[in-house]
Amino acid sequence: MKRFALALFALFLALPLSARTLATNAFPAPMPQYLAEIITDAAAQYHVDPNLIAAMAYKESRFNPNAVSWRGAQGILQLMPRTAKSLGVTDAFDPKQNVFGAAKYIKYLLDRFHGDIEMAVAAYNAGPERVTKEGPRATAEAIDYVAVVTSLYRGALRTL
């Protein structure tokens, strides 16, 4: 699974920014048009595959900008308040701020883990320090999260 995701990501990175298309109909629930536009813009700004952002957004909130987790994570990409603040997000329920902040964080994680999607996605869920020490299987929740996100991501890429 890891090699497949890395190979797809490498192929994706070779595409010019204008060719990086968001597969809006590839997810189990419809993606609102306004959100597709925000994800596309954030992906272009931070050089992250919009389909990876969308896969994470679906897993995190089913594209719900008002979602709140039992841990207090907020918005479409479920930013924790402290993380949101560190990313310059003042309103985690504002879809644009949430997606742009999360895209910035995803880019940071991809860079930190040298483009390893599995590690970056696990770190988004379980925290980068923990994943650095314990790997992408740091917690049962991270294992499930990585499996779901990479499955959604691969599915989106297959539809392109």
Side-chain angles (χ1 to χ4, degrees), residues 42-110:
Q45 180 170 329
Y46 291 105
H47 305 283
V48 175
D49 185 340
N51 295 293
L52 179 59
I53 297 170
M56 294 171 74
Y58 179 80
K59 172 61 177 151
E60 289 289 352
S61 70
R62 306 297 191 264
F63 306 132
N64 178 1
N66 299 310
V68 178
S69 78
W70 65 273
R71 289 186 180 159
Q74 302 170 334
I76 293 168
L77 279 144
Q78 292 290 277
L79 294 173
M80 291 298 288
R82 191 167 62 190
T83 303
K85 185 176 180 180
S86 75
L87 295 166
V89 174
T90 58
D91 181 0
F93 295 106
D94 175 85
K96 186 171 183 178
Q97 285 191 49
N98 187 283
V99 172
F100 272 78
K104 180 178 182 180
Y105 188 49
I106 294 164
K107 173 64 171 167
Y108 161 76
L109 294 171
L110 286 166

Side-chain angles (χ1 to χ4, degrees), residues 22 33-34 43-44 47 64 88-90 121 125 137 143 151 157:
L22 176 57
Q33 181 60 37
Y34 81 90
H47 305 283
N64 178 1
V89 174
T90 58
V121 170
N125 178 265
R137 302 176 69 76
I143 292 167
S151 176
L157 293 179

Side-chain angles (χ1 to χ4, degrees), residues 55 58-59 143-153:
Y58 179 80
K59 172 61 177 151
I143 292 167
D144 176 64
Y145 185 78
V146 169
V148 172
V149 169
T150 57
S151 176
L152 290 165
Y153 179 50

